[in-house]
Amino acid sequence: MTTTQLPGGSAADGAPLQTVMPSRDDSHRLRKDAKRRSRLGSVVYHLGMLAVSAIVLYPAAWMFMSSLKPSSEIIGNVTLIPENGSLDNFATALSGIAGISFWTFFVNSLVIAVFSVVGVVASSAVAAYAFARIQYRGKKVWFALMVATMLLPFHVTIIPQYILFQNLGLINNFGALLIPKFLATEAFFVFLMIQFLRGIPRELDEAARIDGAGHVRVFGSIILPLLRPAMITAAIFTFIASWNDFLGPLLYLKRPDLYTLPVALRLFVDQTTTSDYGAQVAMAVLALIPVMIFFFVFQRYLIDGVATQGLKG
Amino acid sequence: MAPWLAGFFALTFGPMIASLYLSFTDYDLFGAPEFTGLENYQRLFADPQFIQSIKVTTLYVLLGTPIKLAAALAVAMLLNARRRGLGFYRSAFYAPSLVAASVSIAIVWKAMFIDDGVVDRSLQIFGIELGGWVGNQNMTMPMFILLAVWAFGGPMVIFLAGLKQVPTELYEAAEVDGAGRIRKFRNITLPMLSPVIFFNLLMETIGSFQVFASAFIISGGTGGPAGSTLFYTLYLYIRGFGDFRMGYASAMAWLLVIAVGLITILLFRSSKAWVHYQGDSR
């Protein structure tokens, strides 16, 4: 910050001073006061915000530090920095559970997350196009039903869905987890894309329709490229949600070699009867790494995606 | 439209009807469903564990949601200033809401709040003896509420976007009239933000009814100690997929739908009195 000597020189504080035409000395003193006050305010503000950040980020810091500590140092200990730091916990976590490598769970999670992203983005985009651009009877009713499913607790469908997939022989099969994703059941993302499409001028695709392009062509060559930002938001959220999902894999995957990381983590917690918190926390860290990478890379999309969703809701 | 329709009928609407039917039956997945009329519902209301799960969930929704939203709004207002480093704070505060419901965080939470763990010991330094958290039936609810409040970033970002829409002229006009901070907050910020508050309230309330993974992990799937973490969805899971009493669990699921539906209707009704939409008189 530089202090300027000329009256009216600094944009923020200068304007009201000019109008009352104070003496050169007065204006200088006033501006210095204001600046000191705002600097003090700034310090107080940042101290406050850093305090909130410290509280919010403390569990994360504690998690990382604890993953480097032996279990005896974790419980009953308030120091954050490990005394005898080592990577032993990570070695234990990576060695796997019940003879199955950590990487098996990791790959299972990854496969399910990637296909979930493909399914949700593709099916939601098609459904959103139909809702936003195609005229047919009863559309309003369908739309209302679609929005209502956003509010519906999914527990009401989970039991019959389980029975259905069991009868289809899809227990111990990723299909039970992936089929719903390909059928646009995530109304939230359909809704997000419809809202986004409403912002795209209709003239664009109507012109193409007049030129003889069918719905498939209009969708593929006009709508899809324009819909990209909404699709990216949906993709990132779907990846993270699928990666964190616990109930779905818990219900449908009964064979440990098919487990995703969250279900494997739970098995690990159940099995470590001696409460090896160090290894549990290390495995929790490993399971969160992809989510953290996604967050750092895409935080702008994530935060803006939430913000627009909330406002248009 | 076609995939959504298929999905809607096969995976949402169809299952809803099926679950309604199952709720009037006795079904264990193996034999055929046996029609029992309202018996499941009658049993539910005589089931002390069911009553306990309603108590736990209601307490959690009633306490956790307002505290979380208040924290989200307070921090959003602080972030609505013109300061340096806002991007950092915004990201730091938002991050937990992405992972709070994950098994990883449930494990971390349990390890932090375990009796004699870091939280207990830290409080003891200040002379506060609570008698543990995870193993103390009176402290498990505060622990879950802290977990919910910790994830205030989701609603915060929505509040922040809402605050950016409030025209600054309104505040300037109020300042000319000599309004203080509290008056400006009550007479401008709250009414202008009311649609966003309504949205957050609705979403967070519905979300709070559905906590599962953290309750499952922290209590080891039991809802203990003394039923203090027997959240509704956990009890539904225990009955449906633990004991295979699918009819009973379906009845629970339908009662949840009715409860959530009623709360949604009530919120929408009440919103007419306190939610102000800009530029239209709905």
Side-chain angles (χ1 to χ4, degrees), chain B residues 76-116:
Chain B
M77 288 184 64
L78 287 174
L79 278 179
N80 196 31
R82 272 202 179 171
R83 303 274 186 184
R84 264 180 239 201
L86 288 179
F88 167 77
Y89 297 133
R90 198 175 68 146
S91 299
F93 299 158
Y94 180 68
S97 57
L98 283 175
V99 293
S102 70
V103 170
S104 291
I105 294 300
I107 289 172
V108 170
W109 222 252
K110 187 176 184 180
M112 282 178 73
F113 283 86
I114 196 98
D115 305 355
D116 265 338

mmCIF file of all heavy atoms in Angstrom, chain B residues 76-116:
data_model
loop_
_atom_site.group_PDB
_atom_site.id
_atom_site.type_symbol
_atom_site.label_atom_id
_atom_site.label_comp_id
_atom_site.label_asym_id
_atom_site.label_seq_id
_atom_site.Cartn_x
_atom_site.Cartn_y
_atom_site.Cartn_z
ATOM 1 N N ALA B 76 -20.962 -16.678 5.211
ATOM 2 C CA ALA B 76 -21.204 -16.129 3.875
ATOM 3 C C ALA B 76 -21.197 -14.602 3.926
ATOM 4 O O ALA B 76 -20.668 -13.930 3.033
ATOM 5 C CB ALA B 76 -22.527 -16.637 3.323
ATOM 6 N N MET B 77 -21.770 -14.022 4.987
ATOM 7 C CA MET B 77 -21.789 -12.559 5.091
ATOM 8 C C MET B 77 -20.377 -12.018 5.267
ATOM 9 O O MET B 77 -20.027 -10.970 4.718
ATOM 10 C CB MET B 77 -22.698 -12.131 6.238
ATOM 11 C CG MET B 77 -24.153 -12.361 5.883
ATOM 12 S SD MET B 77 -25.294 -11.782 7.119
ATOM 13 C CE MET B 77 -24.959 -10.038 7.083
ATOM 14 N N LEU B 78 -19.561 -12.749 6.037
ATOM 15 C CA LEU B 78 -18.167 -12.323 6.185
ATOM 16 C C LEU B 78 -17.438 -12.409 4.846
ATOM 17 O O LEU B 78 -16.587 -11.575 4.536
ATOM 18 C CB LEU B 78 -17.451 -13.194 7.216
ATOM 19 C CG LEU B 78 -17.843 -12.937 8.665
ATOM 20 C CD1 LEU B 78 -17.184 -13.955 9.576
ATOM 21 C CD2 LEU B 78 -17.421 -11.519 9.066
ATOM 22 N N LEU B 79 -17.784 -13.432 4.064
ATOM 23 C CA LEU B 79 -17.095 -13.628 2.784
ATOM 24 C C LEU B 79 -17.611 -12.676 1.714
ATOM 25 O O LEU B 79 -17.036 -12.581 0.641
ATOM 26 C CB LEU B 79 -17.297 -15.067 2.292
ATOM 27 C CG LEU B 79 -16.375 -16.115 2.876
ATOM 28 C CD1 LEU B 79 -16.718 -17.472 2.295
ATOM 29 C CD2 LEU B 79 -14.925 -15.793 2.609
ATOM 30 N N ASN B 80 -18.703 -11.981 2.017
ATOM 31 C CA ASN B 80 -19.271 -11.087 1.015
ATOM 32 C C ASN B 80 -18.564 -9.733 1.015
ATOM 33 O O ASN B 80 -18.940 -8.821 0.317
ATOM 34 C CB ASN B 80 -20.776 -10.910 1.277
ATOM 35 C CG ASN B 80 -21.493 -10.323 0.086
ATOM 36 O OD1 ASN B 80 -21.079 -10.572 -1.044
ATOM 37 N ND2 ASN B 80 -22.520 -9.547 0.331
ATOM 38 N N ALA B 81 -17.531 -9.601 1.849
ATOM 39 C CA ALA B 81 -16.775 -8.351 1.893
ATOM 40 C C ALA B 81 -15.820 -8.311 0.711
ATOM 41 O O ALA B 81 -15.672 -9.278 -0.024
ATOM 42 C CB ALA B 81 -16.009 -8.273 3.202
ATOM 43 N N ARG B 82 -15.217 -7.163 0.524
ATOM 44 C CA ARG B 82 -14.201 -7.065 -0.520
ATOM 45 C C ARG B 82 -12.846 -7.134 0.150
ATOM 46 O O ARG B 82 -12.326 -6.133 0.640
ATOM 47 C CB ARG B 82 -14.335 -5.729 -1.216
ATOM 48 C CG ARG B 82 -15.283 -5.732 -2.365
ATOM 49 C CD ARG B 82 -14.867 -4.605 -3.175
ATOM 50 N NE ARG B 82 -15.665 -4.448 -4.362
ATOM 51 C CZ ARG B 82 -15.541 -3.382 -5.112
ATOM 52 N NH1 ARG B 82 -14.693 -2.423 -4.774
ATOM 53 N NH2 ARG B 82 -16.241 -3.278 -6.199
ATOM 54 N N ARG B 83 -12.320 -8.318 0.245
ATOM 55 C CA ARG B 83 -11.038 -8.493 0.928
ATOM 56 C C ARG B 83 -10.156 -9.392 0.087
ATOM 57 O O ARG B 83 -10.632 -10.090 -0.797
ATOM 58 C CB ARG B 83 -11.245 -9.155 2.295
ATOM 59 C CG ARG B 83 -12.171 -8.406 3.209
ATOM 60 C CD ARG B 83 -11.420 -7.369 3.974
ATOM 61 N NE ARG B 83 -12.303 -6.746 4.968
ATOM 62 C CZ ARG B 83 -11.932 -5.735 5.732
ATOM 63 N NH1 ARG B 83 -10.702 -5.249 5.648
ATOM 64 N NH2 ARG B 83 -12.767 -5.214 6.594
ATOM 65 N N ARG B 84 -8.893 -9.408 0.473
ATOM 66 C CA ARG B 84 -7.996 -10.340 -0.188
ATOM 67 C C ARG B 84 -8.169 -11.736 0.385
ATOM 68 O O ARG B 84 -8.594 -11.884 1.522
ATOM 69 C CB ARG B 84 -6.554 -9.896 0.050
ATOM 70 C CG ARG B 84 -6.022 -9.082 -1.103
ATOM 71 C CD ARG B 84 -4.622 -8.697 -0.793
ATOM 72 N NE ARG B 84 -4.539 -7.238 -0.801
ATOM 73 C CZ ARG B 84 -3.405 -6.598 -0.961
ATOM 74 N NH1 ARG B 84 -2.274 -7.259 -1.076
ATOM 75 N NH2 ARG B 84 -3.387 -5.289 -0.996
ATOM 76 N N GLY B 85 -7.809 -12.741 -0.377
ATOM 77 C CA GLY B 85 -7.790 -14.107 0.135
ATOM 78 C C GLY B 85 -9.162 -14.750 0.223
ATOM 79 O O GLY B 85 -9.310 -15.815 0.814
ATOM 80 N N LEU B 86 -10.175 -14.110 -0.349
ATOM 81 C CA LEU B 86 -11.521 -14.684 -0.250
ATOM 82 C C LEU B 86 -11.604 -16.042 -0.934
ATOM 83 O O LEU B 86 -12.274 -16.942 -0.445
ATOM 84 C CB LEU B 86 -12.546 -13.742 -0.888
ATOM 85 C CG LEU B 86 -12.827 -12.479 -0.096
ATOM 86 C CD1 LEU B 86 -13.825 -11.620 -0.829
ATOM 87 C CD2 LEU B 86 -13.351 -12.840 1.289
ATOM 88 N N GLY B 87 -10.909 -16.181 -2.048
ATOM 89 C CA GLY B 87 -10.918 -17.444 -2.781
ATOM 90 C C GLY B 87 -10.434 -18.584 -1.914
ATOM 91 O O GLY B 87 -11.030 -19.653 -1.882
ATOM 92 N N PHE B 88 -9.376 -18.295 -1.139
ATOM 93 C CA PHE B 88 -8.834 -19.332 -0.260
ATOM 94 C C PHE B 88 -9.851 -19.736 0.797
ATOM 95 O O PHE B 88 -10.127 -20.912 1.000
ATOM 96 C CB PHE B 88 -7.537 -18.853 0.408
ATOM 97 C CG PHE B 88 -7.112 -19.736 1.547
ATOM 98 C CD1 PHE B 88 -6.512 -20.966 1.296
ATOM 99 C CD2 PHE B 88 -7.350 -19.369 2.865
ATOM 100 C CE1 PHE B 88 -6.139 -21.794 2.341
ATOM 101 C CE2 PHE B 88 -6.985 -20.192 3.911
ATOM 102 C CZ PHE B 88 -6.374 -21.404 3.649
ATOM 103 N N TYR B 89 -10.415 -18.718 1.471
ATOM 104 C CA TYR B 89 -11.377 -19.024 2.537
ATOM 105 C C TYR B 89 -12.571 -19.792 1.990
ATOM 106 O O TYR B 89 -13.040 -20.759 2.576
ATOM 107 C CB TYR B 89 -11.883 -17.734 3.198
ATOM 108 C CG TYR B 89 -10.815 -16.926 3.888
ATOM 109 C CD1 TYR B 89 -10.717 -15.554 3.702
ATOM 110 C CD2 TYR B 89 -9.911 -17.541 4.746
ATOM 111 C CE1 TYR B 89 -9.746 -14.805 4.347
ATOM 112 C CE2 TYR B 89 -8.931 -16.804 5.390
ATOM 113 C CZ TYR B 89 -8.855 -15.432 5.190
ATOM 114 O OH TYR B 89 -7.889 -14.713 5.817
ATOM 115 N N ARG B 90 -13.058 -19.325 0.840
ATOM 116 C CA ARG B 90 -14.235 -19.952 0.254
ATOM 117 C C ARG B 90 -13.979 -21.436 -0.016
ATOM 118 O O ARG B 90 -14.784 -22.295 0.322
ATOM 119 C CB ARG B 90 -14.583 -19.222 -1.043
ATOM 120 C CG ARG B 90 -15.976 -19.441 -1.539
ATOM 121 C CD ARG B 90 -16.264 -18.600 -2.758
ATOM 122 N NE ARG B 90 -15.483 -19.061 -3.906
ATOM 123 C CZ ARG B 90 -15.926 -19.018 -5.169
ATOM 124 N NH1 ARG B 90 -17.106 -18.522 -5.431
ATOM 125 N NH2 ARG B 90 -15.177 -19.443 -6.150
ATOM 126 N N SER B 91 -12.818 -21.725 -0.600
ATOM 127 C CA SER B 91 -12.485 -23.126 -0.891
ATOM 128 C C SER B 91 -12.295 -23.923 0.387
ATOM 129 O O SER B 91 -12.766 -25.050 0.500
ATOM 130 C CB SER B 91 -11.206 -23.209 -1.717
ATOM 131 O OG SER B 91 -11.385 -22.542 -2.921
ATOM 132 N N ALA B 92 -11.595 -23.321 1.349
ATOM 133 C CA ALA B 92 -11.317 -24.044 2.600
ATOM 134 C C ALA B 92 -12.615 -24.389 3.310
ATOM 135 O O ALA B 92 -12.771 -25.485 3.836
ATOM 136 C CB ALA B 92 -10.419 -23.208 3.506
ATOM 137 N N PHE B 93 -13.570 -23.465 3.301
ATOM 138 C CA PHE B 93 -14.828 -23.713 4.012
ATOM 139 C C PHE B 93 -15.730 -24.656 3.232
ATOM 140 O O PHE B 93 -16.559 -25.346 3.803
ATOM 141 C CB PHE B 93 -15.587 -22.395 4.265
ATOM 142 C CG PHE B 93 -14.822 -21.413 5.101
ATOM 143 C CD1 PHE B 93 -15.121 -20.060 5.054
ATOM 144 C CD2 PHE B 93 -13.800 -21.832 5.936
ATOM 145 C CE1 PHE B 93 -14.417 -19.144 5.826
ATOM 146 C CE2 PHE B 93 -13.081 -20.937 6.704
ATOM 147 C CZ PHE B 93 -13.393 -19.579 6.647
ATOM 148 N N TYR B 94 -15.581 -24.660 1.914
ATOM 149 C CA TYR B 94 -16.472 -25.497 1.109
ATOM 150 C C TYR B 94 -16.056 -26.971 1.139
ATOM 151 O O TYR B 94 -16.908 -27.865 1.131
ATOM 152 C CB TYR B 94 -16.518 -24.995 -0.339
ATOM 153 C CG TYR B 94 -17.414 -25.830 -1.213
ATOM 154 C CD1 TYR B 94 -18.780 -25.814 -1.013
ATOM 155 C CD2 TYR B 94 -16.896 -26.667 -2.189
ATOM 156 C CE1 TYR B 94 -19.615 -26.606 -1.765
ATOM 157 C CE2 TYR B 94 -17.728 -27.458 -2.953
ATOM 158 C CZ TYR B 94 -19.079 -27.422 -2.739
ATOM 159 O OH TYR B 94 -19.904 -28.218 -3.483
ATOM 160 N N ALA B 95 -14.743 -27.197 1.168
ATOM 161 C CA ALA B 95 -14.222 -28.565 1.025
ATOM 162 C C ALA B 95 -14.895 -29.613 1.926
ATOM 163 O O ALA B 95 -15.262 -30.679 1.431
ATOM 164 C CB ALA B 95 -12.711 -28.567 1.226
ATOM 165 N N PRO B 96 -15.079 -29.340 3.241
ATOM 166 C CA PRO B 96 -15.642 -30.407 4.082
ATOM 167 C C PRO B 96 -16.998 -30.910 3.612
ATOM 168 O O PRO B 96 -17.304 -32.090 3.773
ATOM 169 C CB PRO B 96 -15.769 -29.738 5.455
ATOM 170 C CG PRO B 96 -14.763 -28.669 5.449
ATOM 171 C CD PRO B 96 -14.718 -28.157 4.027
ATOM 172 N N SER B 97 -17.814 -30.046 3.008
ATOM 173 C CA SER B 97 -19.161 -30.487 2.656
ATOM 174 C C SER B 97 -19.136 -31.576 1.589
ATOM 175 O O SER B 97 -20.113 -32.286 1.413
ATOM 176 C CB SER B 97 -20.013 -29.303 2.195
ATOM 177 O OG SER B 97 -19.396 -28.659 1.118
ATOM 178 N N LEU B 98 -18.017 -31.702 0.880
ATOM 179 C CA LEU B 98 -17.925 -32.750 -0.136
ATOM 180 C C LEU B 98 -17.667 -34.123 0.468
ATOM 181 O O LEU B 98 -17.980 -35.142 -0.132
ATOM 182 C CB LEU B 98 -16.787 -32.444 -1.112
ATOM 183 C CG LEU B 98 -17.060 -31.374 -2.156
ATOM 184 C CD1 LEU B 98 -15.805 -31.123 -2.951
ATOM 185 C CD2 LEU B 98 -18.180 -31.818 -3.071
ATOM 186 N N VAL B 99 -17.030 -34.144 1.636
ATOM 187 C CA VAL B 99 -16.592 -35.436 2.171
ATOM 188 C C VAL B 99 -17.234 -35.788 3.507
ATOM 189 O O VAL B 99 -17.016 -36.877 4.023
ATOM 190 C CB VAL B 99 -15.053 -35.462 2.339
ATOM 191 C CG1 VAL B 99 -14.379 -35.412 0.973
ATOM 192 C CG2 VAL B 99 -14.566 -34.327 3.209
ATOM 193 N N ALA B 100 -18.036 -34.869 4.072
ATOM 194 C CA ALA B 100 -18.527 -35.083 5.436
ATOM 195 C C ALA B 100 -19.325 -36.375 5.574
ATOM 196 O O ALA B 100 -19.309 -36.993 6.632
ATOM 197 C CB ALA B 100 -19.379 -33.903 5.875
ATOM 198 N N ALA B 101 -20.018 -36.786 4.508
ATOM 199 C CA ALA B 101 -20.853 -37.988 4.610
ATOM 200 C C ALA B 101 -20.078 -39.260 4.280
ATOM 201 O O ALA B 101 -20.642 -40.339 4.257
ATOM 202 C CB ALA B 101 -22.054 -37.871 3.676
ATOM 203 N N SER B 102 -18.768 -39.136 4.032
ATOM 204 C CA SER B 102 -18.013 -40.310 3.593
ATOM 205 C C SER B 102 -17.577 -41.176 4.774
ATOM 206 O O SER B 102 -17.515 -40.718 5.916
ATOM 207 C CB SER B 102 -16.778 -39.875 2.807
ATOM 208 O OG SER B 102 -15.855 -39.279 3.680
ATOM 209 N N VAL B 103 -17.274 -42.422 4.463
ATOM 210 C CA VAL B 103 -16.797 -43.348 5.482
ATOM 211 C C VAL B 103 -15.472 -42.859 6.060
ATOM 212 O O VAL B 103 -15.228 -42.954 7.263
ATOM 213 C CB VAL B 103 -16.662 -44.761 4.879
ATOM 214 C CG1 VAL B 103 -15.947 -45.693 5.837
ATOM 215 C CG2 VAL B 103 -18.033 -45.315 4.527
ATOM 216 N N SER B 104 -14.610 -42.299 5.203
ATOM 217 C CA SER B 104 -13.313 -41.804 5.672
ATOM 218 C C SER B 104 -13.480 -40.808 6.807
ATOM 219 O O SER B 104 -12.810 -40.896 7.834
ATOM 220 C CB SER B 104 -12.553 -41.120 4.532
ATOM 221 O OG SER B 104 -12.150 -42.061 3.578
ATOM 222 N N ILE B 105 -14.370 -39.843 6.605
ATOM 223 C CA ILE B 105 -14.538 -38.808 7.626
ATOM 224 C C ILE B 105 -15.198 -39.395 8.873
ATOM 225 O O ILE B 105 -14.870 -38.999 9.992
ATOM 226 C CB ILE B 105 -15.336 -37.617 7.064
ATOM 227 C CG1 ILE B 105 -14.506 -36.926 5.970
ATOM 228 C CG2 ILE B 105 -15.689 -36.625 8.154
ATOM 229 C CD1 ILE B 105 -13.161 -36.388 6.418
ATOM 230 N N ALA B 106 -16.102 -40.360 8.679
ATOM 231 C CA ALA B 106 -16.715 -41.000 9.844
ATOM 232 C C ALA B 106 -15.637 -41.658 10.705
ATOM 233 O O ALA B 106 -15.668 -41.575 11.938
ATOM 234 C CB ALA B 106 -17.755 -42.019 9.400
ATOM 235 N N ILE B 107 -14.660 -42.290 10.048
ATOM 236 C CA ILE B 107 -13.564 -42.934 10.790
ATOM 237 C C ILE B 107 -12.743 -41.886 11.533
ATOM 238 O O ILE B 107 -12.408 -42.036 12.713
ATOM 239 C CB ILE B 107 -12.684 -43.747 9.822
ATOM 240 C CG1 ILE B 107 -13.449 -44.986 9.359
ATOM 241 C CG2 ILE B 107 -11.375 -44.138 10.480
ATOM 242 C CD1 ILE B 107 -12.760 -45.745 8.256
ATOM 243 N N VAL B 108 -12.438 -40.795 10.833
ATOM 244 C CA VAL B 108 -11.655 -39.726 11.456
ATOM 245 C C VAL B 108 -12.425 -39.129 12.633
ATOM 246 O O VAL B 108 -11.867 -38.898 13.709
ATOM 247 C CB VAL B 108 -11.327 -38.635 10.420
ATOM 248 C CG1 VAL B 108 -10.735 -37.413 11.075
ATOM 249 C CG2 VAL B 108 -10.384 -39.189 9.365
ATOM 250 N N TRP B 109 -13.718 -38.912 12.429
ATOM 251 C CA TRP B 109 -14.547 -38.328 13.487
ATOM 252 C C TRP B 109 -14.548 -39.225 14.710
ATOM 253 O O TRP B 109 -14.397 -38.777 15.836
ATOM 254 C CB TRP B 109 -15.967 -38.112 12.960
ATOM 255 C CG TRP B 109 -16.539 -36.798 13.392
ATOM 256 C CD1 TRP B 109 -17.511 -36.593 14.319
ATOM 257 C CD2 TRP B 109 -16.154 -35.500 12.898
ATOM 258 N NE1 TRP B 109 -17.756 -35.245 14.433
ATOM 259 C CE2 TRP B 109 -16.943 -34.555 13.594
ATOM 260 C CE3 TRP B 109 -15.211 -35.057 11.973
ATOM 261 C CZ2 TRP B 109 -16.824 -33.184 13.368
ATOM 262 C CZ3 TRP B 109 -15.097 -33.691 11.743
ATOM 263 C CH2 TRP B 109 -15.899 -32.775 12.439
ATOM 264 N N LYS B 110 -14.719 -40.518 14.452
ATOM 265 C CA LYS B 110 -14.740 -41.458 15.567
ATOM 266 C C LYS B 110 -13.404 -41.446 16.310
ATOM 267 O O LYS B 110 -13.369 -41.422 17.538
ATOM 268 C CB LYS B 110 -15.041 -42.867 15.049
ATOM 269 C CG LYS B 110 -15.249 -43.852 16.165
ATOM 270 C CD LYS B 110 -15.647 -45.218 15.651
ATOM 271 C CE LYS B 110 -15.945 -46.149 16.824
ATOM 272 N NZ LYS B 110 -16.342 -47.485 16.368
ATOM 273 N N ALA B 111 -12.306 -41.418 15.550
ATOM 274 C CA ALA B 111 -10.990 -41.435 16.188
ATOM 275 C C ALA B 111 -10.734 -40.136 16.956
ATOM 276 O O ALA B 111 -10.065 -40.142 17.990
ATOM 277 C CB ALA B 111 -9.905 -41.655 15.135
ATOM 278 N N MET B 112 -11.274 -39.032 16.465
ATOM 279 C CA MET B 112 -11.069 -37.755 17.167
ATOM 280 C C MET B 112 -11.907 -37.665 18.432
ATOM 281 O O MET B 112 -11.489 -37.115 19.436
ATOM 282 C CB MET B 112 -11.442 -36.576 16.251
ATOM 283 C CG MET B 112 -10.396 -36.235 15.220
ATOM 284 S SD MET B 112 -10.935 -34.875 14.153
ATOM 285 C CE MET B 112 -10.785 -33.505 15.270
ATOM 286 N N PHE B 113 -13.145 -38.200 18.351
ATOM 287 C CA PHE B 113 -14.082 -38.017 19.452
ATOM 288 C C PHE B 113 -14.152 -39.233 20.380
ATOM 289 O O PHE B 113 -14.952 -39.243 21.310
ATOM 290 C CB PHE B 113 -15.489 -37.704 18.908
ATOM 291 C CG PHE B 113 -15.643 -36.288 18.443
ATOM 292 C CD1 PHE B 113 -15.294 -35.923 17.154
ATOM 293 C CD2 PHE B 113 -16.112 -35.304 19.302
ATOM 294 C CE1 PHE B 113 -15.427 -34.612 16.720
ATOM 295 C CE2 PHE B 113 -16.250 -33.989 18.880
ATOM 296 C CZ PHE B 113 -15.902 -33.643 17.587
ATOM 297 N N ILE B 114 -13.308 -40.236 20.099
ATOM 298 C CA ILE B 114 -13.344 -41.424 20.955
ATOM 299 C C ILE B 114 -13.027 -41.000 22.396
ATOM 300 O O ILE B 114 -12.327 -40.009 22.606
ATOM 301 C CB ILE B 114 -12.326 -42.480 20.428
ATOM 302 C CG1 ILE B 114 -12.605 -43.848 21.027
ATOM 303 C CG2 ILE B 114 -10.884 -42.071 20.729
ATOM 304 C CD1 ILE B 114 -13.403 -44.726 20.129
ATOM 305 N N ASP B 115 -13.573 -41.719 23.368
ATOM 306 C CA ASP B 115 -13.334 -41.354 24.762
ATOM 307 C C ASP B 115 -11.833 -41.325 25.017
ATOM 308 O O ASP B 115 -11.105 -42.262 24.668
ATOM 309 C CB ASP B 115 -14.020 -42.378 25.674
ATOM 310 C CG ASP B 115 -15.517 -42.486 25.331
ATOM 311 O OD1 ASP B 115 -15.967 -41.703 24.477
ATOM 312 O OD2 ASP B 115 -16.192 -43.348 25.899
ATOM 313 N N ASP B 116 -11.369 -40.213 25.599
ATOM 314 C CA ASP B 116 -9.949 -39.968 25.834
ATOM 315 C C ASP B 116 -9.194 -39.648 24.546
ATOM 316 O O ASP B 116 -7.970 -39.654 24.526
ATOM 317 C CB ASP B 116 -9.260 -41.155 26.537
ATOM 318 C CG ASP B 116 -9.218 -40.934 28.030
ATOM 319 O OD1 ASP B 116 -9.308 -39.763 28.443
ATOM 320 O OD2 ASP B 116 -9.096 -41.920 28.771
#
